[in-house]
Amino acid sequence: MKKILFDLKKQYYFNSLYPLYKVMKQDPRYDLWIRSGKDQHRFLGVFMISNRGKIQSELRSRGFQVTDRTSGFDGVVCGDALKKPEKYGDVPKFHLDHGVGIKTLRIRNIVRQKNARYHVFLEGQYWYDYIKSLGYENTAEFHVTGLPKLDPFFQPGHFDNPSLVSRLGLDPGKKTVLFAPSYKPSCIDHIGDSILELLPQYNLVVKLHPYSWGGKYAPHSQHRLYQELAGNHREMFLVPADEYDVYPYLFLADTLISDTSSVVNEFLALGKHGIIYQLPKSNPRHSDGMPVLSIDPEDWLKGAFPHISRPDQLQSAVELALSPSSGMKQKMEEYRNYFFTELDGKASERVKHCIDSVLLGDK
């Protein structure tokens, strides 16, 4: 029996790993364990508080085997490059990125680890072509299999829209707009309370990035603004901080408003038109010179998703996204086919087949 560690650096990475975990759990040849990171939040603006104990307790209560160990396993599955890969030993490392967007951190973190080699699973041809354009195609074993994270979207019955509408108290006769900005760079400072202009014509759901709540990577002002707005406008629903899974809301929404968040591409995978808030041009780069984004936001899904740069464009953009032209629909299919491969709910099976071949010699 092969002992496998699922390394959960951040709690919200769970949904990127769990579809594969479920498939591997059915195979008696594997013994599965989960290790949680600290996933800290900032308290009183100064103190960093670890959430590891809380996360571990929740996992144990759900029946998962939990460990603090990093060594003694036959393989490691992770949602990001491991923080100190040498601690895990010289074993195969399987990388399932927690996001499917255009931020280059997913490949940068792998390339920087010169002494670690990963099996990296990609959602489609686009990312492999981008990696190849940088000359990094030999820094890891890349597999264009699709990502398990997306599987639930394409498994009938996984999400229950009527129940969610009822729980949120939404009007089933209205279209639902999901506002899901990133934490950095973010359109929150640009849109602010202007998002309320979509009321009462639409159901409005706001889902913030987990980092927008923690105070470590983004200021607490991001969540406080929308907590105040939700408290004063009952037609707006703010997804609570402890509900980190955005997928039920992406599946429910008729359109999406976001910025540089990976939810934009995830919405594309669903075959629905979203809206990209284009932030002021800055061409941000990492300290080593690598661009923060793999695509200029001006060109990202251009012709398929409306782009806006001012809050007063929200209404018209929502109307366009909800009634796309035939040209927009055609363009969306082109992007969808390039960014993603085999959106069939079976990426977990393909990833497991690769893992089986590495660890068990299966063909």
Side-chain angles (χ1 to χ4, degrees):
M1 181 178 288
K2 296 294 184 180
K3 195 173 181 180
I4 306 300
L5 178 66
F6 281 74
D7 193 79
L8 194 63
K9 183 186 292 185
K10 303 289 183 182
Q11 186 178 24
Y12 79 91
Y13 291 6
F14 181 84
N15 295 320
S16 65
L17 306 181
Y18 185 56
L20 174 63
Y21 180 99
K22 283 199 303 182
V23 171
M24 293 185 71
K25 185 68 175 175
Q26 297 170 12
D27 190 332
R29 297 177 297 177
Y30 290 112
D31 179 23
L32 307 183
W33 293 78
I34 298 181
R35 177 183 181 272
S36 170
K38 292 182 179 179
D39 205 359
Q40 297 171 313
H41 70 275
R42 194 179 297 277
F43 179 66
L44 297 178
V46 177
F47 304 105
M48 298 308 301
I49 308 298
S50 172
N51 291 303
R52 177 179 286 161
K54 177 184 175 184
I55 296 169
Q56 288 179 331
S57 294
E58 291 178 0
L59 290 170
R60 288 192 180 99
S61 70
R62 295 174 61 181
F64 295 103
Q65 295 188 115
V66 178
T67 181
D68 289 325
R69 297 180 60 189
T70 56
S71 62
F73 296 90
D74 298 295
V76 181
V77 179
C78 52
D80 193 0
L82 299 167
K83 189 172 182 180
K84 295 181 179 179
E86 65 277 5
K87 291 170 55 179
Y88 296 79
D90 185 19
V91 299
K93 299 169 180 65
F94 305 100
H95 181 282
L96 305 173
D97 201 78
H98 60 279
V100 295
I102 61 171
K103 293 181 180 178
T104 60
L105 205 59
R106 65 190 297 186
I107 182 61
R108 178 177 181 258
N109 287 347
I110 291 170
V111 170
R112 293 174 74 190
Q113 295 185 359
K114 305 296 184 183
N115 297 321
R117 192 165 182 86
Y118 293 82
H119 288 268
V120 180
F121 299 93
L122 303 173
E123 62 268 31
Q125 191 62 36
Y126 164 76
W127 262 106
Y128 183 74
D129 288 348
Y130 181 75
I131 290 165
K132 193 172 181 180
S133 74
L134 299 176
Y136 293 150
E137 68 270 25
N138 295 318
T139 59
E141 302 295 331
F142 293 102
H143 308 272
V144 182
T145 54
L147 281 180
K149 180 181 183 182
L150 295 167
D151 283 352
F153 281 155
F154 307 100
Q155 295 170 342
H158 187 90
F159 297 106
D160 185 349
N161 280 351
S163 292
L164 186 56
V165 167
S166 177
R167 179 168 71 83
L168 303 186
L170 303 180
D171 184 340
K174 295 180 180 179
K175 298 290 187 180
T176 297
V177 178
L178 174 64
F179 178 45
S182 184
Y183 69 99
K184 181 182 179 181
S186 177
C187 64
I188 289 176
D189 290 339
H190 301 272
I191 291 182
D193 61 2
S194 296
I195 198 71
L196 295 176
E197 294 176 9
L198 299 176
L199 298 175
Q201 186 174 355
Y202 303 103
N203 293 317
L204 176 60
V205 178
V206 176
K207 172 69 176 74
L208 300 177
H209 191 283
Y211 287 171
S212 292
W213 294 92
K216 181 178 180 180
Y217 300 103
H220 283 296
S221 59
Q222 289 191 352
H223 68 84
R224 287 171 181 160
L225 168 63
Y226 293 103
Q227 283 177 301
E228 181 179 353
L229 295 179
N232 295 327
H233 299 83
R234 46 191 220 111
E235 308 101 316
M236 171 187 144
F237 181 83
L238 175 63
V239 180
D242 59 359
E243 197 173 335
Y244 53 83
D245 186 6
V246 69
Y247 272 32
Y249 301 97
L250 289 172
F251 195 80
L252 170 69
D254 295 290
T255 192
L256 164 80
I257 300 168
S258 191
D259 38 45
T260 60
S261 173
S262 64
V263 298
V264 172
N265 277 3
E266 289 162 330
F267 207 63
L268 170 68
L270 283 166
K272 296 190 281 191
H273 296 265
I275 298 153
I276 297 174
Y277 193 99
Q278 201 168 297
L279 300 167
K281 202 170 182 70
S282 61
N283 193 27
R285 291 182 177 271
H286 294 293
S287 57
D288 58 3
M290 180 184 282
V292 170
L293 304 175
S294 64
I295 303 176
D296 187 325
E298 287 187 9
D299 300 322
W300 189 19
L301 305 184
K302 187 175 182 179
F305 280 37
H307 286 219
I308 63 174
S309 56
R310 303 191 315 271
D312 61 6
Q313 299 171 316
L314 283 169
Q315 280 279 2
S316 59
V318 168
E319 292 172 7
L320 180 57
L322 292 175
S323 300
S325 66
S326 58
M328 289 172 65
K329 292 177 181 178
Q330 180 179 344
K331 199 68 179 173
M332 182 180 70
E333 279 306 304
E334 293 174 7
Y335 287 128
R336 193 168 181 254
N337 291 334
Y338 184 41
F339 277 90
F340 301 103
T341 187
E342 298 188 79
L343 293 170
D344 56 4
K346 298 179 180 179
S348 299
E349 296 175 21
R350 290 188 288 274
V351 171
K352 180 182 179 294
H353 179 73
C354 289
I355 294 175
D356 291 345
S357 66
V358 173
L359 296 179
L360 302 170
D362 287 4
K363 294 182 179 181

